[in-house]
Amino acid sequence: MSIEKLLCMNKEWAKKVALEQPELFATLSKQQAPKYLWIGCSDSRVPANEIVGMLPGELFVHRNVANLVKHVDFNCQAVIQYAVDVLKVEHIIVCGHYGCGGVKVAMENTNAGISDYWLRSIKDLFSRHRGELKNLDNQELRLNRMCEINVVEQVATLVHTKIVQSAWQRNQPLEIHGWIYGIDNGVIKNLNVSRNGLEDIEDIYQVDI
Ligand code: CO
């Protein structure tokens, strides 16, 4: 498909949306008020808005390879801070996906170039869970379980941020969720690791605000 075709398709899309919802673009041009922050993988098969049926304006989105939340990643941290402190989103969703290429590379001894540095934290996570993963029958099952473990870890990292703990300390409603998407069936599974307050945070991770 030529690059011009994409611009043509955009014109068609804008026309269609304007017909279906005449007020949408005018409303969005004044403000955004999303209730959800989506942290997902860059994978082209996991388009955030589409898979939860949401319109422009409804999701604040951050995506990177393997949906990682890192304390030293100013990009991700800036997105979280703006979403929580300014937009006051009520939910943060970390949505991973089965068969994630980033997680797969981290589980192998292959050279992925610069991505190796990015994926290093998954390697450490894999190493920590190797015992549990060894009991699974095959590599595909191990990869998919590891994709779940990775999401759970990112939820924990979010809970440990000053941004999230500060919001909870001032009683701002904020829930964090861990989900995983099936590329082969389009269905999201809730990993049931949601958090909505300061309870059960290990002492060394409690932020003294
Ligand atoms: Co991925």
Side-chain angles (χ1 to χ4, degrees):
M1 192 182 294
S2 74
I3 204 76
E4 286 78 18
K5 177 76 178 153
L6 268 66
L7 295 169
C8 286
M9 279 166 43
N10 163 256
K11 285 200 188 76
E12 282 168 26
W13 172 81
K15 217 190 290 175
K16 185 169 147 272
V17 174
L19 265 176
E20 286 167 1
Q21 297 186 75
E23 304 300 317
L24 184 69
F25 290 126
T27 309
L28 291 177
S29 66
K30 293 187 199 92
Q31 59 151 1
Q32 64 165 335
K35 286 194 167 56
Y36 314 92
L37 164 60
W38 175 279
I39 299 177
C41 184
S42 298
D43 195 302
S44 64
R45 299 164 295 178
V46 196
N49 281 65
E50 264 178 271
I51 63 175
V52 286
M54 291 217 151
L55 290 167
E58 295 187 299
L59 276 191
F60 200 62
V61 173
H62 179 78
R63 290 169 67 182
N64 60 41
V65 174
N67 41 271
L68 297 178
V69 178
K70 299 190 188 211
H71 294 287
V72 293
D73 175 10
F74 290 122
N75 181 353
C76 184
Q77 294 292 326
V79 170
I80 298 165
Q81 195 259 325
Y82 190 77
V84 173
D85 293 351
V86 181
L87 298 172
K88 304 214 162 18
V89 297
E90 290 166 19
H91 302 270
I92 302 177
I93 300 153
V94 179
C95 188
H97 66 97
Y98 290 120
C100 182
V103 175
K104 184 171 182 286
V105 165
M107 292 167 70
E108 295 164 352
N109 184 20
T110 50
N111 187 344
I114 190 80
S115 304
D116 284 331
Y117 296 99
W118 180 250
L119 299 171
R120 174 58 200 251
S121 57
I122 307 180
K123 240 180 226 310
D124 297 338
L125 192 62
F126 175 57
S127 177
R128 264 163 51 203
H129 289 268
R130 222 167 182 162
E132 173 199 336
L133 293 161
K134 225 168 39 195
N135 298 327
L136 297 170
D137 284 346
N138 60 55
Q139 195 57 15
E140 192 189 349
L141 290 175
R142 278 189 284 274
L143 169 60
N144 286 342
R145 178 63 191 138
M146 192 57 210
C147 291
E148 294 181 348
I149 290 170
N150 183 45
V151 169
V152 175
E153 181 74 3
Q154 308 320 310
V155 168
T157 305
L158 274 170
V159 168
H160 296 158
T161 61
K162 192 171 181 175
I163 303 161
V164 167
Q165 290 190 27
S166 298
W168 284 337
Q169 288 207 345
R170 58 179 183 262
N171 294 316
Q172 184 179 323
L174 179 65
E175 284 182 35
I176 302 176
H177 312 276
W179 293 355
I180 191 149
Y181 175 77
I183 282 174
D184 60 352
N185 62 7
V187 176
I188 293 171
K189 178 179 163 189
N190 187 350
L191 292 172
N192 294 317
V193 289
S194 298
R195 302 286 294 266
N196 64 2
L198 293 160
E199 301 80 36
D200 306 321
I201 299 175
E202 194 183 335
D203 54 357
I204 56 160
Y205 293 114
Q206 288 171 15
V207 178
D208 190 12
I209 298 149

